[in-house]
Amino acid sequence: MTKLKLDGLQKHYGTVAAVKGIDLDVAEGELVSLLGPSGCGKTTTLRCVAGFELPTGGRITFDGNEVTMLPPERRDIGMVFQNYALFPHMTVRENLRFGLEMRKVDAASMERRVADVLGMVQLTSMETRYPRQLSGGQQQRVALARALVIEPKLLLLDEPLANLDAKLRDEMRFFIRSLQKRVGITTLYVTHDQAEAMVMSDRIVVMFDGLIHQVGGARDIYDRPATRQVASFIGLSNFVTGRVAGRDGSLWRLETSFGTISCGAGIAPGAGSPATAMVRPEAIDLSAAPVAGAFPGRVSERFFLGNLVDYRITMSDGTLLQVQQPATAAFAPGDEVHATLPAERAWLVRDDAA
Amino acid sequence: MTAPSPTARPPGVRPRWLLAAPVLVTVAALIVVPYVNILVMSFRVPSTTKPYLPGFTFGNYTKALADPDFFYFELLFDTLRLALTITFLCLVVAYPVAFHLARTTSRWKGVLYALVLSPLLVGVVIRSFGWIILLANNGLINQSLKAWGMAPLPLMYNEFGVVLALVHVFLPFMILPLMGAIQGIDPRLEEAARSLGAGPAKVFWRVLFPLSMPGVQSGCILVFVLSCGAYVTPALLGAGRVHTMTTEVITLLDQFLWPFGAALALILSVVGLAAVAIYARLSGRLMRGLA
């Protein structure tokens, strides 16, 4: 069980900054995802932790021991690659033994550990196969087993499910998560798939452009995004801009051009300053009759999504809101509706674009 | 009315094997026919006044293989030893070059690639003369040594010069297949090996080298076969003092002993092919997981 700590980690390629100084603590046995669009620096961060890239600034420590400049073979990590990177000239068994041979583990415990891990990933019958004789999902599990059999300090996964088809990907999410919990290994997981990050992680680190925008649980990230970018990367969102009118306890009043709404915030904007509130489409309530605190609008478009109906509502000032309601609610394009934006589901975000 | 059977060819379309016809004709005319000719020749009765005398004999083969002094056995052995030395040196020299070329992202890659191929643009005779200018007893190197007051070195008219020049000549034939094989190795495999605790040497011997075996195999076979059959460079740089099966065959042809030369040439071919077959077998076992 190892604690991982990143301290002002930076990676520059010439004049291009891939990682611009990030701080992160990962607790023992915790699974932390690095989530973000491609090019956000998540993979570079992982590769710095693995030792494949040497940082140009900052420190990396495992349990307080600095490893920043150590080559990968001396870090004691287990890594799973997007394309699995199994040795094609070795059988499953030989692939698993490789790391143990490098550690000069004696023959008897080698046998035992390989058998244990193969059991864990349910591939006991496959040990004499070559990688190319296995399906994608099986190769994935071999890669996981190869990383775990050496009982590393840290497990690093680089988009391990990106090459699997959707159904298998769903299964593997739960499989990897339960395996990680059972083994209790500290894990860093890189993905661009928000659902994957939300299902699997204890905490999610959302990165954009080489910087961490937010660190938190799935709920925090979804309901209380720190920035506009985080909100729009994770799920669907409406952004309503206006001016801060004041505050009532923990809620802020935001004066928009279709009316004043209340919202929570993790930031403290000054009264009168411009601000952006985020409301998820499914958080907005629609009703035909006027309701206290609701704002009038008109249904301009309607899409049937199966379990949901997706509406575009034009508000009195022309603002377009996306609203998702259960398929039982029925409004037709052109209908007058009244939209309620609940204060507990509206959230002020930092908006660098505004 | 009956439907045409699915295998029937529409009228006017020729069978596909016809596409191979030009190659078949060329191979037959340039390889099969001459080999059959040599085979027949090797059983003729030699004569010093005309190509051969009437009748057939096994005499050429018994003369070569049952020689009491084992002269031709030794010659064969020397030829194979020379070819193996050249092959091994080519492999050692070519591997780092091929590796660098396969993995470099430099914008000079194209230039480097052209440089590797450039020896092939110059005829083998010219290249051998180039080496003679450098290595001869009064060549560039020995003149420089003399100018610095050092004793001259025997660089030519011996195996050293022949091996050096042939390694140079055959290097592209080793680099190209190696490069192809190394380019096909996913760099992530190296990273995987390192993450599992393998240092650079272990990564090379346990992962890179085994995975580049297809290139090692074809490069070695090419260079070995070319070395066995090399004539111009051994003749020019050995200048009559380095003897191989090929130089001996040419000498016999000069002496008008065509049938005996043909027998020697066929013995070399068979032994060389057998060596290649054994090598392919052995290296094939190292590649069982590949492809």
Side-chain angles (χ1 to χ4, degrees):
Chain A
M1 296 275 251
T2 307
K3 280 194 288 257
L4 166 69
K5 189 173 171 61
L6 307 183
D7 239 337
L9 185 75
Q10 291 184 23
K11 177 68 189 179
H12 294 258
Y13 297 99
T15 56
V16 183
V19 178
K20 298 175 180 167
I22 64 173
D23 301 305
L24 180 66
D25 279 287
V26 182
E28 294 177 350
E30 194 181 21
L31 190 155
V32 169
S33 294
L34 302 178
L35 175 66
S38 58
C40 73
K42 56 189 193 299
T43 296
T44 307
T45 304
L46 187 83
R47 291 175 60 79
C48 284
V49 175
F52 300 135
E53 306 280 351
L54 295 180
T56 45
R59 280 157 45 90
I60 303 168
T61 55
F62 296 176
D63 272 339
N65 301 316
E66 174 152 8
V67 300
T68 317
M69 291 296 165
L70 231 47
E73 63 269 24
R74 290 179 48 203
R75 294 193 183 199
D76 199 14
I77 47 159
M79 176 120 180
V80 177
F81 296 85
Q82 180 174 348
N83 63 358
Y84 322 133
L86 297 175
F87 303 126
H89 57 307
M90 299 183 196
T91 60
V92 168
R93 192 157 163 276
E94 289 165 339
N95 265 281
L96 296 200
R97 289 170 63 104
F98 187 88
L100 297 174
E101 285 168 20
M102 295 303 131
R103 283 166 174 70
K104 304 201 164 44
V105 172
D106 66 271
S109 29
M110 195 165 339
E111 289 301 316
R112 186 179 44 75
R113 284 165 73 172
V114 168
D116 283 355
V117 173
L118 275 176
M120 261 199 273
V121 298
Q122 297 150 26
L123 283 173
T124 307
S125 57
M126 303 285 175
E127 61 171 348
T128 55
R129 301 262 187 109
Y130 283 99
R132 71 193 143 83
Q133 299 168 314
L134 302 177
S135 71
Q138 290 168 335
Q139 291 186 28
Q140 170 67 78
R141 281 184 281 154
V142 175
L144 205 56
R146 185 180 65 175
L148 288 174
V149 75
I150 56 175
E151 292 167 15
K153 288 192 180 128
L154 218 58
L155 180 61
L156 307 176
L157 302 123
D158 185 11
E159 306 245 7
L161 306 182
N163 286 5
L164 298 177
D165 61 60
K167 191 170 172 295
L168 200 56
R169 192 153 55 214
D170 261 5
E171 281 173 34
M172 282 304 288
R173 281 177 190 165
F174 296 105
F175 182 80
I176 292 180
R177 178 55 165 158
S178 68
L179 192 62
Q180 183 267 337
K181 274 190 172 155
R182 189 141 51 101
V183 178
I185 187 171
T186 312
T187 304
L188 206 54
Y189 189 104
V190 162
T191 179
H192 66 270
D193 182 332
Q194 42 143 329
E196 204 168 294
M198 292 172 96
V199 168
M200 299 187 62
S201 327
D202 292 307
R203 285 187 303 152
I204 299 170
V205 176
V206 190
M207 290 182 69
F208 291 97
D209 198 24
L211 290 169
I212 293 180
H213 276 216
Q214 189 169 9
V215 181
R219 262 247 111 83
D220 295 325
I221 307 258
Y222 189 76
D223 285 341
R224 295 177 288 280
T227 67
R228 183 180 180 135
Q229 279 156 294
V230 172
S232 40
F233 189 73
I234 315 252
L236 301 168
S237 32
N238 293 292
F239 294 104
V240 180
T241 53
R243 242 162 232 298
V244 176
R247 117 180 243 188
D248 307 315
S250 63
L251 295 179
W252 300 78
R253 282 194 315 278
L254 184 69
E255 217 172 73
T256 74
S257 44
F258 62 81
T260 302
I261 62 168
S262 290
C263 41
I267 47 177
S273 62
T276 304
M278 184 265 347
V279 191
R280 300 289 180 191
E282 74 280 7
I284 300 176
D285 263 332
L286 295 182
S287 65
V291 185
F295 306 100
R298 187 181 293 279
V299 176
S300 54
E301 279 181 290
R302 182 181 66 173
F303 306 96
F304 180 64
L305 302 180
N307 55 337
L308 292 170
V309 181
D310 190 54
Y311 297 102
R312 295 301 133 83
I313 310 294
T314 312
M315 304 307 285
S316 55
D317 64 328
T319 304
L320 205 61
L321 291 182
Q322 184 183 12
V323 180
Q324 290 187 339
Q325 299 267 289
T328 47
F331 299 100
D335 285 1
E336 264 322 317
V337 289
H338 296 269
T340 310
L341 283 64
E344 70 278 7
R345 301 291 309 272
W347 187 257
L348 285 188
V349 292
R350 212 170 69 219
D351 186 357
D352 298 330
Chain B
M1 192 179 144
T2 57
S5 85
T7 53
R9 254 191 312 277
V13 175
R14 303 272 186 284
R16 218 173 284 162
W17 62 262
L18 268 181
L19 290 173
V23 175
L24 289 176
V25 170
T26 314
V27 167
L30 296 180
I31 297 180
V32 177
V33 170
Y35 257 98
V36 170
N37 198 14
I38 292 173
L39 185 68
V40 173
M41 178 66 83
S42 71
F43 290 103
R44 298 281 191 186
V45 180
S47 153
T48 45
T49 50
K50 41 178 135 173
Y52 49 84
L53 299 173
F56 290 96
T57 172
F58 284 106
N60 299 315
Y61 286 97
T62 49
K63 185 176 166 196
L65 299 174
D67 177 25
D69 299 332
F70 299 110
F71 176 76
Y72 295 104
F73 266 114
E74 273 174 31
L75 201 59
L76 189 60
F77 179 79
D78 281 348
T79 307
L80 296 180
R81 183 176 49 76
L82 212 61
L84 280 176
T85 311
I86 291 161
T87 307
F88 177 75
L89 290 175
C90 267
L91 180 62
V92 172
V93 175
Y95 208 102
V97 180
F99 190 82
H100 179 78
L101 273 174
R103 285 290 158 81
T104 184
T105 49
S106 154
R107 59 208 169 96
W108 297 105
K109 186 171 183 166
V111 177
L112 295 174
Y113 190 75
L115 278 177
V116 165
L117 290 180
S118 64
L120 298 178
L121 300 175
V122 183
V124 66
V125 177
I126 311 287
R127 270 181 290 170
S128 299
F129 274 115
W131 279 110
I132 290 175
I133 291 170
L134 284 174
L135 302 179
N137 287 347
N138 56 355
L140 221 53
I141 293 175
N142 276 327
Q143 277 181 8
S144 312
L145 288 177
K146 228 179 283 174
W148 293 328
M150 281 180 276
L153 295 170
L155 301 172
M156 229 188 90
Y157 316 113
N158 55 22
E159 276 190 13
F160 174 84
V162 174
V163 168
L164 182 64
L166 281 181
V167 166
H168 169 239
V169 170
F170 295 144
L171 217 41
F173 297 100
M174 187 65 92
I175 293 176
L176 292 182
L178 276 179
M179 205 178 124
I182 294 169
Q183 260 167 347
I185 302 174
D186 179 2
R188 299 262 180 252
L189 293 176
E190 287 166 60
E191 294 183 350
R194 296 195 71 185
S195 77
L196 291 166
K202 282 270 181 2
V203 172
F204 180 79
W205 288 113
R206 294 286 309 269
V207 177
L208 285 178
F209 191 70
L211 287 174
S212 64
M213 268 316 281
V216 172
Q217 191 189 51
S218 32
C220 284
I221 289 176
L222 269 175
V223 172
F224 178 78
V225 168
L226 289 169
S227 302
C228 279
Y231 169 68
V232 174
T233 307
L236 289 178
L237 278 128
R241 264 161 275 185
V242 176
H243 298 280
T244 65
M245 286 293 267
T246 35
T247 59
E248 186 62 21
V249 168
I250 302 285
T251 310
L252 292 174
L253 297 191
D254 288 345
Q255 293 167 2
F256 255 106
L257 294 169
W258 290 10
F260 188 50
L264 281 190
L266 280 181
I267 291 171
L268 178 63
S269 296
V270 169
V271 172
L273 271 180
V276 167
I278 292 168
Y279 172 73
R281 196 70 183 270
L282 289 178
S283 53
R285 284 173 56 186
L286 292 174
M287 297 191 289
R288 58 200 142 69
L290 304 179

